[in-house]
Amino acid sequence: MANDDKLSVVDCVQHLLTDDMFLAHVPLEHREEAREELASLFNQLGTEALNAERRKVSLFQAGLDDSGYPYLFRLHSIVRDILTHELPPDAMEAARRGMQFAQETIQRDGGQTFELLLKQLGRIAISPAARPIDRALSRLALYHLLRMVLAIMEHQQKGDLAFVGVRDDDLDKLAEGSLQWWMEEAAADGDDGLRVINFSIAACMSRLTEHVDIFKVELARLDADHVRLLHQRKEIVAHAQSMTRRDDLLLSNLFAPLFGKQRVSISLLRKRHPMVLGDYSDDALYKQTERIKTKLSEGTPPQRTATSSLLDAAAAMEGTVRPLPSDEEEI
């Protein structure tokens, strides 16, 4: 890959999307069309990310604004939905093969291809010479990559983060804040010598550890009702993580007030998560919500098939993010 500040994000990603990797499932005669569609999508995302930057709107905030930033809005929900959505057996097997191939490729070249891609994205993110739309798009790509890493870590915690008051929104903000910290450090350093993902993950873990340490002190001052609330949060998150993504979304919405959020209508929930809920009617989802409530009251919450999501598969692979050193028992 050329060492050029004018290299575009599309160039970077297309370097990784070789015929043997992520486009292997696309027939040869359609791969050029697939790349063109990918470039068009990147252009839309980059335009919205750049508009958000110019308006001083964070990527997290833009991802929640379906009217102002429709492409960023869809991407924000789809990233987590893709990771946690239950896949049919044939799709899950294909995903496992793809992950295994990627892992073998990384092991074969020492991770140089992936590391080079990240380094190029990092260079573009802080380069004054890069096109503004490419700078914005590279930051967007790195932000969502960090979100995915933190989602895997959250999954491994099995509700422990919820117990200490950390929600998925907090992790998203943490990902963006840590990426911003990296960009400031890299710009001050005068080059791209800092490894963007490694630095940002370390920053995330450092801040989470600080949060846990502060929480340990505050926990001793909480009354019994507040402690009971924290245990309820942990239990709900643990249940949600063992369910299908559909039931996870319904359960999380049902207990939104428990986490300081506002419950939304089934229609709005479907709009926010079309990939998971789009094929169901409002009535069907309402009835499923009632079934979940009944199952919870009976002590038999619904569960998905073991390792049926990308997040399950990723978390089971060697080299995933390890849990925080502090757990509830230590607290």
Side-chain angles (χ1 to χ4, degrees):
M1 190 181 296
N3 186 21
D4 185 354
D5 281 338
K6 295 183 180 180
L7 192 68
S8 74
V9 175
V10 174
D11 291 333
C12 288
V13 175
Q14 286 186 349
H15 178 81
L16 188 65
L17 297 181
T18 63
D19 290 349
D20 291 333
M21 289 186 68
F22 298 101
L23 294 182
H25 66 288
V26 179
L28 282 171
E29 63 270 21
H30 296 307
R31 287 182 185 172
E32 188 57 36
E33 180 183 355
R35 288 192 177 94
E36 290 176 359
E37 291 177 355
L38 186 68
S40 176
L41 175 61
F42 281 178
N43 184 65
Q44 295 283 356
L45 288 168
T47 298
E48 288 190 1
L50 181 58
N51 288 339
E53 182 181 327
R54 288 172 172 171
R55 296 167 185 166
K56 301 190 183 305
V57 175
S58 70
L59 292 175
F60 169 75
Q61 292 172 320
L64 302 180
D65 185 354
D66 62 329
S67 59
Y69 307 94
Y71 280 85
L72 295 183
F73 173 81
R74 279 179 235 156
L75 178 62
H76 188 86
S77 63
I78 284 174
V79 164
R80 189 172 282 261
D81 286 348
I82 285 176
L83 283 176
T84 54
H85 188 34
E86 188 174 46
L87 299 174
D90 56 341
M92 192 63 195
E93 181 57 31
R96 285 198 189 96
R97 288 199 303 269
M99 287 183 181
Q100 184 63 33
F101 182 87
Q103 188 177 51
E104 290 172 356
T105 300
I106 290 173
Q107 291 173 346
R108 188 165 52 248
D109 70 359
Q112 292 181 11
T113 299
F114 190 60
E115 186 68 31
L116 183 58
L117 171 70
L118 293 179
K119 187 172 183 179
Q120 290 289 7
L121 288 175
R123 291 179 69 249
I124 294 170
I126 62 172
S127 172
R131 293 191 309 161
I133 191 172
D134 282 319
R135 266 201 313 272
L137 188 53
S138 63
R139 294 173 185 179
L140 178 69
L142 292 168
Y143 163 60
H144 284 293
L145 182 57
L146 282 169
R147 285 187 68 216
M148 294 173 72
V149 171
L150 292 180
I152 294 173
M153 183 201 70
E154 181 189 27
H155 185 74
Q156 292 175 325
Q157 296 295 303
K158 301 184 185 303
D160 283 344
L161 286 178
F163 181 81
V164 299
V166 177
R167 303 175 299 188
D168 52 1
D169 287 357
D170 297 317
L171 293 177
D172 290 344
K173 294 174 184 175
L174 186 60
E176 186 167 13
S178 297
L179 179 60
Q180 181 62 39
W181 187 11
W182 171 83
M183 289 192 296
E184 292 170 359
E185 290 290 322
D189 195 46
D191 58 35
D192 60 343
L194 297 169
R195 299 171 68 190
V196 54
I197 296 300
N198 304 64
F199 182 98
S200 299
I201 291 175
C204 288
M205 298 303 291
S206 175
R207 292 179 181 183
L208 280 173
T209 302
E210 288 176 7
H211 175 86
V212 170
D213 289 341
I214 294 172
F215 180 83
K216 287 180 181 180
V217 176
E218 294 180 346
L219 181 62
R221 304 171 186 164
L222 298 178
D223 57 37
D225 288 339
H226 201 146
V227 173
R228 193 176 301 113
L229 172 66
L230 295 175
H231 280 289
Q232 288 177 329
R233 287 179 175 178
K234 176 180 177 177
E235 183 179 9
I236 292 301
V237 171
H239 283 321
Q241 290 181 345
S242 67
M243 296 178 176
T244 65
R245 180 57 171 166
R246 178 200 63 184
D247 291 350
D248 170 5
L249 291 169
L250 296 175
L251 178 70
S252 298
N253 186 53
L254 179 65
F255 285 94
L258 187 68
F259 294 86
K261 296 183 177 181
Q262 185 175 3
R263 191 179 297 150
V264 302
S265 68
I266 293 293
S267 296
L268 181 55
L269 200 63
R270 287 179 64 229
K271 182 179 180 181
R272 290 179 176 176
H273 302 274
M275 188 182 83
V276 180
L277 305 179
D279 292 337
Y280 299 94
S281 67
D282 287 4
D283 184 59
L285 292 174
Y286 173 78
K287 290 179 179 178
Q288 180 62 14
T289 302
E290 293 302 307
R291 283 193 284 269
I292 292 172
K293 288 168 64 176
T294 300
K295 287 283 190 179
L296 282 175
S297 66
E298 295 172 348
T300 57
Q303 295 190 347
R304 69 177 180 277
T305 305
T307 61
S308 59
S309 72
L310 291 180
L311 195 149
D312 290 325
M317 290 178 69
E318 183 180 358
T320 53
V321 179
R322 296 183 179 182
L324 287 170
S326 302
D327 57 23
E328 182 189 337
E329 284 70 30
E330 290 176 327
I331 294 172

